Amino acid sequence: MKCLRALLTVLILSAAPLAAEQLFDLKEVVPGVYAAIARPQYKVNCNAAIVLLDDGVLIVDTHSKPSAARALIEQIKTVTDKPVKFVVNSHFHWDHYQGNQAYPGSWPAGIEIISSEATRESIERRGVPRVKHEILTMPTEIEKLKADLAKATDPKQKATLQENLRQAEEYFSELKTMQVTLPSLTFDRSLIIHRKSRTVAVLWLGKAHTDGDVFVYLPREKVIASGDALHGWTPYMGDSYPYDWIHTLEEAERLDFEYVIGGHGDVMDGKGTFELWRQYFRDLLDETADAYAQGATLDQARKRVAAALQAKYSGKFPETFPKDVIPNIEKAYRVVSGATE
Ligand SMILES: [Zn+2]
C-alpha cells in the first residue's frame, strides 16, 4: 500500500509537467503584471493579462477551452502562490470565455467572473447557441482534416495536419462536456478594484469589437488590457460596431498608459496601434461607402477596396492582411448598404 502510494505520487509528479503544456509565454510587463501571450494552436487561444493584487490575482480572459485555462493556471502558479480571485471576460467571443469553468474549478470559493452586462447577455444569447452549433459542425471539420491528411504527400504538411487533427478531436471532446460558465459580477460603465498596492479599473467605454468590450486599466502602472478592441493582429469585425469602435478607441486613448496587452499578438508600446486602427476603420468605411455610392456590387467593392487598403496598410498589419481584409470589407458593405448579402 505504501509502495502503491509512493508510486502514485511519482506518477502524479511526473504527469504534472505534461498537464501544464506550455500554451503561453509569460512576459512581465511591469512588476507583478504579466502578459500571457498565447502560442499558436489549431483552435486559437487569446492572450491573458495576469495582475497580482495584495490578496489574490486578477486574470483577463480565459481562452477557447477549460484545458487551456488550466494550463495557464499551472503557469500562474510558477509566479505566485496567491489564489485567483477575479476573472474578467473582455467580451463574449468563444476564444475569450470558454475556459471560464476552469477558475471556479480550481478555486471553488471566492472567484468572481466579471464582465459588462452586455457581455454576459451576449454569452447567454449568442455564445451558448454558437457552442451548440459548433458541436454540430465539428464532425464535418474533423472529417475534412482526415480527408486532407489522407491526400497529403509532403511530410511537413502531413505532420501539421496530423497535429491539427489531434487538437481538433481534443477540442471537440472538450466542447461536448464543457459547462458554459457565465460571469457572476456585471456592471454597466465601470467597476474599480481598490487595493493598497494597486487599483484596477474595468471600463466599458462604448461599443467596439462587440457591444460589451471592456478595457482593464491600471492607472498607476500605466498598463491597459484591451481584449479584441485592440490587438496585434488585423481587427476581426464580425460582431462589431465600426463607427462606435472609432469613438471608443478615442475614449481609451484619453487614458494615460504606456503598455497595451491586447487579446492577440504581442504586447504593444504606446498608442500607435490605436491610431492605426482608427485610421484603418475610417478608410475601410469611406472606401466602401464610395464604392457602394458609385454602384459597386459586393464583389466589385471587395476587389476595389482591398486594392486601396493593401496599398496603404500592407506592412502595418500582419502578413495575413490580404486575406483578413476581405471579411472586413464585407462587414463595411453590410453596414453601409444595410444588405446582408
Ligand atoms: Zn479573440
Side-chain angles (χ1 to χ4, degrees):
M1 190 62 194
K2 209 174 180 186
C3 192
L4 181 62
R5 204 173 297 146
L7 180 65
L8 279 175
T9 311
V10 170
L11 283 175
I12 290 164
L13 283 176
S14 61
L18 282 178
E21 189 188 348
Q22 298 264 309
L23 295 178
F24 303 92
D25 293 302
L26 294 196
K27 291 187 175 177
E28 192 164 32
V29 180
V30 297
V33 179
Y34 299 82
I37 304 296
R39 292 183 183 176
Q41 288 280 291
Y42 174 69
K43 290 285 176 183
V44 69
N45 281 316
C46 69
N47 296 335
I50 303 167
V51 181
L52 306 192
L53 303 168
D54 300 335
D55 54 340
V57 182
L58 176 143
I59 305 291
V60 183
D61 284 338
T62 68
H63 328 295
S64 52
K65 51 185 181 176
S67 66
R70 282 195 295 272
L72 181 65
I73 288 169
E74 291 308 314
Q75 287 189 260
I76 294 167
K77 287 176 179 169
T78 65
V79 296
T80 181
D81 48 18
K82 290 174 185 173
V84 173
K85 288 202 166 167
F86 303 104
V87 173
V88 178
N89 290 140
S90 65
H91 63 291
F92 82 95
H93 283 160
W94 67 286
D95 55 322
H96 296 257
Y97 88 88
Q98 285 186 182
N100 278 2
Q101 179 190 342
Y103 285 94
S106 297
W107 290 279
I111 289 258
E112 293 288 1
I113 301 178
I114 299 168
S115 79
S116 63
E117 279 162 16
T119 288
R120 190 181 192 279
E121 224 167 67
S122 289
I123 294 175
E124 276 190 300
R125 290 179 183 168
R126 295 184 278 174
V128 173
R130 287 180 191 188
V131 170
K132 290 181 179 164
H133 182 82
E134 197 174 18
I135 291 172
L136 297 179
T137 57
M138 273 308 291
T140 314
E141 191 175 322
I142 288 170
E143 284 315 310
K144 168 93 172 48
L145 284 169
K146 282 183 181 163
D148 290 348
L149 182 62
K151 274 186 274 165
T153 48
D154 175 53
K156 213 176 140 197
Q157 193 200 3
K158 246 181 156 163
T160 307
L161 283 165
Q162 190 80 58
E163 176 58 17
N164 287 349
L165 177 62
R166 183 190 71 78
Q167 289 187 30
E169 283 175 334
E170 273 183 21
Y171 177 74
F172 182 40
S173 68
E174 211 174 326
L175 204 61
K176 284 186 286 187
T177 57
M178 190 180 79
Q179 305 286 321
V180 170
T181 305
L182 293 171
S184 54
L185 185 63
T186 61
F187 64 95
D188 57 355
R189 293 273 168 168
S190 68
L191 181 143
I192 302 178
I193 299 166
H194 300 269
R195 292 293 186 272
K196 259 195 189 117
S197 63
R198 284 194 211 294
T199 302
V200 183
V202 190
L203 306 170
W204 182 87
L205 300 172
K207 292 179 180 178
H209 171 70
T210 67
D211 53 359
D213 305 84
V214 295
F215 293 84
V216 178
Y217 175 50
L218 279 65
R220 280 188 249 175
E221 296 77 5
K222 300 189 195 291
V223 176
I224 194 165
S226 50
D228 286 0
L230 188 101
H231 56 57
W233 295 353
T234 309
Y236 168 75
M237 301 178 73
D239 292 308
S240 73
Y241 299 80
Y243 290 105
D244 301 67
W245 199 343
I246 294 168
H247 180 70
T248 301
L249 290 176
E250 278 168 356
E251 289 297 310
E253 279 172 86
R254 286 182 216 279
L255 302 167
D256 180 19
F257 58 84
E258 285 170 13
Y259 307 102
V260 187
I261 303 171
H264 302 281
D266 213 341
V267 177
M268 294 160 279
D269 288 335
K271 297 181 177 175
T273 311
F274 283 77
E275 283 165 38
L276 172 69
W277 281 38
R278 278 193 285 107
Q279 192 57 53
Y280 169 70
F281 292 140
R282 276 204 197 97
D283 288 340
L284 169 73
L285 291 161
D286 288 352
E287 293 281 352
T288 308
D290 279 354
Y292 181 69
Q294 288 164 21
T297 61
L298 175 58
D299 198 41
Q300 289 162 339
R302 269 191 208 108
K303 291 193 182 98
R304 176 174 149 176
V305 179
L309 294 175
Q310 276 173 43
K312 188 164 175 187
Y313 289 98
S314 68
K316 294 179 178 166
F317 285 109
E319 56 189 24
T320 53
F321 184 72
K323 189 165 66 76
D324 301 336
V325 75
I326 301 300
N328 289 353
I329 297 165
E330 291 163 358
K331 170 76 181 187
Y333 195 91
R334 283 201 298 277
V335 169
V336 170
S337 65
T340 53
E341 287 300 319

